């Protein structure tokens, strides 16, 4: 990225557009030697030279779309004159599988950063210590909420300062589904993933009894045994709503002293698994917060940790940047396999991949999914792509990995947490309000104006990158905050109480 030139910014020498860092009125002379001929809102783009009809529009040195008609120098470039298809209606990338993966210079164990975390018996480390109540089906959601409310409002937790709270993870599915289908498999992985996430010190799994998603089948699939920190029950088996609530409250009371035995102790950063998210993106996202988060992700990888990039519809059009970084061809091809699944999925549902960006993204300056994806992919930094996972699969590889998820943030983050993420970083330009129990979510603002308006929600302002702060320095600031949050420092979303309603498993397939 070149340094800002007054009120404009050119990101790459090959670009034929520049980004407006302030509202540019008609007649404004720019540092690129062109005068603005149509008003350009802050965060949006204007042509720095004539762009012929059908010619590629270039940003970040990459294609973000094609001119629908001729675009004059100084004209505003957006969806009215820039679309997805070229003259032949297609864009074909060279995936160059595994040709650009550069080995990471890993730090020795005694050089790694440390944080204060909760060691679990299986070797995982938590950054929080919650008790969770999961539901097999929507029909048991209400009893789960009543159980959690009874404990959280009783004052009982005052005696257990090592417990962060009781969280009901309720959802809207679990029945009327094919018990051998893709949606069922996703829900089963998600439920098990949350139950075993290191940020839970104990868990209940409660159901109705007659639903498609049977608790006993899940226990059999994962060879689960009931213990003093894992218990299950259904409303029908125990004999009704009140008996179920009473049962749950008593089980939690028994679990609390066991879960509260956990104490924070010093561990190294290799025990951190960072979920990378962006939502409410704008024209600054790919310039400030996302590349800065990419630096933080690279730093974590060098310290032995793991970073999970997701939101497959939001890497669409930038997947060639990731396939080059794959450690081998098989990893790169698995990513493309998921891309093709999404093309088919959107097509058979009457949509297209360019239905993302959202209206808010477009108001913020993003024109096509190609542009959005190039910015979103920057969150993943530059280290080799070591693995590609399906939604909610357990992440076992270290380093930079990818998980196939939708772009809808709560659904995407739910998959990452199920995969084992114990901390989350969320970049936003429009101002997404989000939290993610049981995993702390750091909110990174892409621009200073939004940060000033929503400072109670935002943990770090990355907008000062366009004011002279280096991406590297901001990445280190994010990494430093990550260690503090992992050690127990509250994020803004935690202080506001977010996270009780953000458990949203991905629903795939017919509702019967």
């Amino acid at each position: 990225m070149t340094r800002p030139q007054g009120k404009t910014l050119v990101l790459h020498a090959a670009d034929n557009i520049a980004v407006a860092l302030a509202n540019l009125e008609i007649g404004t002379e720019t540092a690129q030697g062109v005068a603005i001929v149509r008003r350009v809102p802050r965060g949006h783009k204007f042509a720095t030279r004539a762009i012929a009809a059908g010619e590629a529009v270039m940003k970040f040195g990459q294609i973000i779309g094609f001119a629908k008609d001729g675009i004059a120098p100084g004209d505003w470039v957006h969806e009215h004159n820039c679309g997805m298809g070229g003259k032949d209606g297609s864009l074909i990338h060279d995936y160059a599988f595994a040709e650009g993966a550069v080995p990471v210079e890993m730090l020795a164990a005694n050089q790694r950063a440390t944080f204060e975390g909760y060691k679990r018996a299986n070797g995982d480390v938590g950054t929080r210590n919650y008790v969770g109540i999961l539901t097999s089906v929507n029909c048991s959601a209400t009893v789960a909420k009543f159980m959690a409310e009874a404990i959280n409002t009783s004052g009982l937790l005052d005696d257990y300062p090592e417990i962060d709270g009781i969280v009901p993870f309720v959802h809207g599915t679990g029945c009327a589904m094919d018990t051998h289908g893709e949606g069922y498999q996703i829900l089963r992985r998600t439920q098990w993933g949350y139950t075993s996430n290191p940020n839970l010190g104990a868990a209940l799994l409660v159901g109705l009894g007659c639903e498609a998603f049977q608790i006993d089948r899940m226990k059999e699939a994962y060879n689960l045994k009931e213990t003093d920190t894992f218990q299950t029950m259904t409303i029908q088996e125990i004999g009704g709503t009140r008996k179920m609530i009473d049962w749950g409250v008593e089980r939690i009371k028994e679990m609390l002293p066991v879960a509260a035995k956990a104490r924070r102790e010093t561990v190294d950063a290799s025990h951190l698994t960072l979920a990378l998210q962006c939502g409410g993106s704008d024209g600054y996202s790919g310039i400030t917060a996302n590349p800065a988060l990419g630096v933080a992700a690279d730093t974590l990888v060098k310290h032995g940790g793991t970073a999970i990039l997701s939101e497959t519809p939001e890497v669409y059009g930038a997947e060639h940047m990731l396939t080059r970084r794959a450690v081998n061809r098989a990893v790169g091809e698995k990513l493309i396999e998921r891309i093709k699944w999404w093309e088919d999925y959107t097509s058979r549902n009457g949509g297209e991949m360019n239905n993302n960006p959202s209206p808010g993204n477009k108001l913020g300056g993003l024109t096509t999914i190609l542009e959005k994806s190039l910015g979103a992919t920057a969150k993943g930094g530059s280290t080799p792509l070591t693995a590609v996972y399906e939604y909610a699969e357990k992440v076992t590889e270290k380093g930079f990995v990818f998980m196939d998820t939708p772009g809808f943030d709560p659904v995407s983050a739910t998959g990452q947490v199920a995969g084992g993420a114990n901390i989350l970083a969320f970049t936003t330009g429009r101002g997404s309000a989000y939290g993610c129990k049981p995993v702390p979510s750091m909110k990174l603002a892409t621009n200073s104006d939004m940060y000033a308006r929503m400072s109670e929600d935002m943990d770090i302002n990355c907008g000062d990158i366009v004011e002279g702060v280096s991406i590297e320095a901001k990445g280190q600031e994010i990494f430093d905050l990550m260690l503090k949050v992992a050690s127990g420092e509250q994020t803004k979303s935690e202080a506001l109480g977010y996270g009780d309603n953000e458990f949203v498993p991905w629903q795939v397939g017919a509702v019967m």
Side-chain angles (χ1 to χ4, degrees):
M1 181 180 81
T2 61
R3 301 316 305 167
Q5 296 175 293
K7 297 180 179 180
T8 64
L9 177 64
V10 175
L11 296 167
H12 192 279
D15 292 354
N16 51 16
I17 60 90
V19 178
L21 301 181
N23 294 328
L24 301 180
E25 305 298 334
I26 295 173
T28 301
E29 294 289 338
T30 70
Q32 290 73 39
V34 300
I36 298 301
V37 299
R38 185 173 358 191
R39 185 179 186 274
V40 183
R42 181 179 63 85
H44 287 241
K45 304 169 291 295
F46 65 91
T48 56
R49 63 169 178 78
I51 304 174
E55 184 181 352
V57 177
M58 305 291 291
K59 183 181 179 183
F60 307 109
Q62 300 286 330
I63 296 172
I64 64 165
F66 298 87
K68 295 178 179 179
D69 298 299
I71 303 175
D75 197 2
W76 177 35
V77 177
H78 203 33
E79 56 185 331
H80 60 281
N81 57 10
C82 177
M84 286 278 285
K87 291 179 179 179
D88 63 353
S90 64
L91 173 62
I92 299 174
H93 287 303
D94 175 12
Y95 292 138
F97 294 109
E99 292 182 8
V102 179
V104 180
E105 294 184 12
M106 303 292 292
L107 294 173
N110 62 359
Q111 296 178 307
R112 293 172 182 167
T114 61
F115 69 101
E116 302 300 308
Y118 295 103
K119 284 187 178 180
R120 304 303 185 189
N122 64 356
D124 290 342
V125 175
T127 64
R128 296 293 183 269
N129 193 32
Y130 283 98
V131 174
I133 309 171
L134 288 106
T135 58
S136 64
V137 65
N138 178 255
C139 306
S140 56
T142 297
V143 296
K145 288 183 175 180
F146 285 159
M147 292 173 189
E149 182 181 14
I151 299 293
N152 285 331
T153 60
S154 68
L156 188 61
L157 293 180
D158 293 343
D159 297 329
Y160 300 102
E162 290 296 332
I163 303 293
D164 289 299
I166 316 298
V167 187
F169 296 108
V170 303
H171 57 91
T173 182
C175 204
M177 64 193 332
D178 177 4
T179 57
H180 299 286
E182 191 172 23
Y184 180 89
Q185 301 299 326
I186 285 174
L187 180 59
R188 188 171 71 177
R189 290 198 302 267
T190 305
Q191 296 278 25
W192 166 233
Y194 264 67
T195 302
S196 58
N197 186 281
N199 283 13
L200 290 188
L204 297 180
L205 177 55
V206 298
L208 176 62
C210 57
E211 59 269 22
F213 188 88
Q214 289 287 303
I215 292 175
D216 285 345
R217 293 181 186 177
M218 174 182 151
K219 289 161 67 176
E220 181 180 353
Y222 292 107
N223 193 30
L224 302 180
K225 306 297 182 185
E226 301 209 358
T227 68
D228 55 2
T229 57
F230 177 68
Q231 296 281 311
T232 68
M233 182 56 67
T234 68
I235 297 170
Q236 292 168 354
E237 179 183 0
I238 202 166
T241 298
R242 292 189 184 279
K243 290 179 182 178
M244 185 68 179
I245 296 168
D246 291 343
W247 175 89
V249 169
E250 290 306 310
R251 295 295 79 72
I252 294 170
K253 287 180 179 178
E254 294 170 0
M255 290 176 170
L256 285 175
V258 180
K261 290 179 181 177
R263 293 292 184 274
R264 289 190 181 274
E265 51 189 299
T266 303
V267 294
D268 70 53
S270 66
H271 294 286
L272 285 177
T273 299
L274 173 67
L276 305 168
Q277 283 289 321
C278 60
S281 300
D282 68 350
Y284 285 84
S285 294
I287 300 171
T288 61
N290 286 354
L293 181 53
V295 170
D298 285 351
T299 303
L300 178 61
V301 169
K302 291 175 183 178
H303 285 261
T306 304
I308 310 173
L309 182 67
S310 297
E311 301 176 289
T312 313
E314 296 177 15
V315 302
Y316 184 78
E319 69 272 15
H320 62 294
M321 309 290 286
L322 298 175
T323 55
R324 284 166 164 73
R325 293 163 54 188
V327 293
N328 55 51
R329 187 180 185 91
V331 169
E333 287 183 337
K334 187 172 182 181
L335 175 62
I336 301 307
E337 174 189 306
R338 301 316 302 164
I339 292 286
K340 293 185 180 300
W341 183 94
W342 273 95
E343 289 177 328
D344 175 68
Y345 180 58
T346 52
S347 176
R348 68 177 184 260
N349 284 283
E352 59 174 285
M353 296 303 286
N354 201 42
N355 290 146
N356 186 338
S358 70
N361 296 153
K362 291 178 180 180
L363 283 170
L366 298 176
T367 301
T368 66
I369 187 56
L370 305 179
E371 179 182 11
K372 184 177 181 179
S373 292
L374 287 163
T377 304
K379 300 192 304 294
S382 61
T383 60
L385 176 65
T386 61
V388 173
Y389 294 93
E390 294 191 26
Y391 186 87
E393 275 192 312
K394 281 292 183 187
V395 173
T396 55
E397 291 289 333
K398 292 288 189 179
F400 170 60
V401 304
F402 185 85
M403 177 180 286
D404 178 32
T405 76
F408 185 33
D409 309 309
V411 180
S412 180
T414 295
Q416 293 173 317
V417 173
N422 55 9
I423 193 165
L424 187 151
F426 190 121
T427 69
T428 181
R430 304 293 291 173
S432 292
Y434 179 80
C436 186
K437 292 177 182 176
V439 172
S441 173
M442 303 179 296
K443 302 293 287 300
L444 315 178
T446 72
N447 65 84
S448 298
D449 288 347
M450 186 275 287
Y451 178 80
R453 288 196 312 273
M454 298 184 65
S455 59
E456 289 187 350
D457 291 80
M458 300 294 128
D459 295 284
I460 289 182
N461 178 29
C462 298
D464 52 11
I465 288 173
V466 298
E467 299 157 14
V469 174
S470 73
I471 289 174
E472 291 72 20
K474 189 60 63 172
Q476 185 63 48
E477 182 182 346
I478 296 169
F479 182 72
D480 292 343
L481 178 63
M482 191 189 316
L483 298 174
K484 293 176 184 177
V485 168
S487 298
E489 181 175 309
Q490 270 200 331
T491 64
K492 296 289 184 68
S493 64
E494 287 181 297
L496 288 167
Y498 275 99
D500 287 327
N501 301 300
E502 285 75 10
F503 175 71
V504 190
W506 186 14
Q507 294 189 51
V508 176
V511 178
M512 297 180 174

